[in-house]
Amino acid sequence: MADRSLRGMRLGASSLQSEDGVVFHERAQFSYSCTSCGRDTTMTFAADAEVPETWECRTCGAEALLRVDGETVTVDHGDVKAPRSHWDMLLERRTIPELEELLEERLAFVRSRRGAGDDVTVDKLSA
């Protein structure tokens, strides 16, 4: 068995694959300028890729805008929706009086399981 073992190989050795016949894809570099700190970032994309107009600044995390021919691209944020919170989604399904009724029912259930009396007061929900 020992006479059949591979020799000259070790853990972590270099790959046996070669780059023969590999065709690398065309690349293009694009520059982004940060709106907050003013730093420029150069990113490399595939030549046929759709390049985003904005990129997150590596330094400060603010929005960096694409630069084309030395000028920054104007970005239209008009159709961007603000993210909805859980409260907003809840108010789409229930009204405040319905929520207060559900809260009272649930508190009564919890109190009955704990054996607590009705001496606990609960503030009403506010919008």
Side-chain angles (χ1 to χ4, degrees):
M1 184 82 150
D3 58 339
R4 293 188 202 169
S5 65
L6 293 175
R7 295 179 184 248
M9 295 297 296
R10 63 176 188 267
L11 292 176
S14 60
S15 174
L16 298 176
Q17 294 179 346
S18 67
E19 294 182 2
D20 294 339
V22 175
V23 178
F24 291 105
H25 205 283
E26 293 290 322
R27 297 183 217 162
Q29 290 188 338
F30 295 92
S31 179
Y32 290 87
S33 180
C34 181
T35 57
S36 179
C37 67
R39 293 192 181 210
D40 289 336
T41 302
T42 303
M43 300 298 298
T44 303
F45 294 98
D48 59 348
E50 183 177 336
V51 180
E53 294 178 339
T54 61
W55 197 263
E56 184 177 330
C57 179
R58 292 180 177 179
T59 306
C60 66
E63 183 179 65
L65 300 175
L66 177 65
R67 298 192 67 171
V68 177
D69 298 329
E71 296 181 14
T72 57
V73 175
T74 57
V75 179
D76 181 25
H77 292 292
D79 59 342
V80 177
K81 293 182 179 180
R84 296 184 308 169
S85 67
H86 294 290
W87 180 249
D88 295 333
M89 290 184 268
L90 182 64
L91 288 179
E92 290 175 1
R93 296 187 310 263
R94 307 266 189 205
T95 63
I96 296 291
E98 289 175 333
L99 291 172
E100 288 176 349
E101 182 181 341
L102 289 171
L103 177 63
E104 288 300 325
E105 289 175 8
R106 191 65 187 165
L107 286 175
F109 173 74
V110 170
R111 287 182 191 131
S112 68
R113 291 191 67 200
R114 289 187 179 174
D118 292 333
D119 56 344
V120 178
T121 59
V122 177
D123 294 331
K124 297 287 185 182
L125 294 175
S126 60

